[in-house]
Amino acid sequence: MEKIWEDMYRAAKAVQNGRKISDFVEAGGVAAAILSESGKIYTGVCVDTCSTLGICAERNAIFNMITSGEQKISKVLAIMPNGKTGAPCGACRELMVQLMPGRYAEIEIMLDYECEKIVTLGKLTPEWWIK
């Protein structure tokens, strides 16, 4: 496994810190690290609310990347509340596809850190709904 995956795992783990913010908001159950095409790691955590105002960790990390002036994703890693890594949800996949419509299939996703299982977003999202 490439060392960058270890760096991304550590970066996501460092911000995870699951916690209750208020009676209506929790944060950090899931943490994510995005590797941009420039090689910089951006992180984010999920923010869960009692309504639809929350955000996934992956999209939070992507928005941090965009805020910093980048828009091309190379790799994605998400740590679930149980400490295992997993695939981005459909909304996160859709955002990545829309950001990189001609190249989304190349984005690498860490499915299982312990088993070093990596797939591409193209494999997870084989056909985009917009033609």
Side-chain angles (χ1 to χ4, degrees), residues 28 33 37 58 62 64 74 77 87 91 96 98 107 115 118 121-122:
E37 195 172 73
E58 298 92 329
I62 291 167
N64 281 332
S74 177
L77 179 145
M96 289 186 273
Q98 289 186 28
I107 297 172
C115 295
I118 300 163
L121 185 56

Side-chain angles (χ1 to χ4, degrees), residues 34-50:
I34 301 289
L35 181 70
S36 70
E37 195 172 73
S38 75
K40 184 167 182 194
I41 296 172
Y42 295 92
T43 58
V45 297
C46 66
V47 179
D48 296 312
T49 70
C50 68

Side-chain angles (χ1 to χ4, degrees), residues 34-40 42 65-66 69-75 99-100 103 107:
I34 301 289
L35 181 70
S36 70
E37 195 172 73
S38 75
K40 184 167 182 194
Y42 295 92
M65 177 189 71
I66 291 170
E70 297 195 65
Q71 67 265 0
K72 293 193 167 98
I73 301 164
S74 177
K75 299 180 187 318
L99 280 174
M100 297 175 54
R103 295 185 46 214
I107 297 172

Side-chain angles (χ1 to χ4, degrees), residues 1 22-23 36 44 49-50 62 68 73-74 82 95 97 109-110:
M1 178 168 50
S22 75
D23 288 341
S36 70
T49 70
C50 68
I62 291 167
S68 295
I73 301 164
S74 177
N82 66 1
L95 176 61
V97 170
I109 309 289
M110 176 58 74

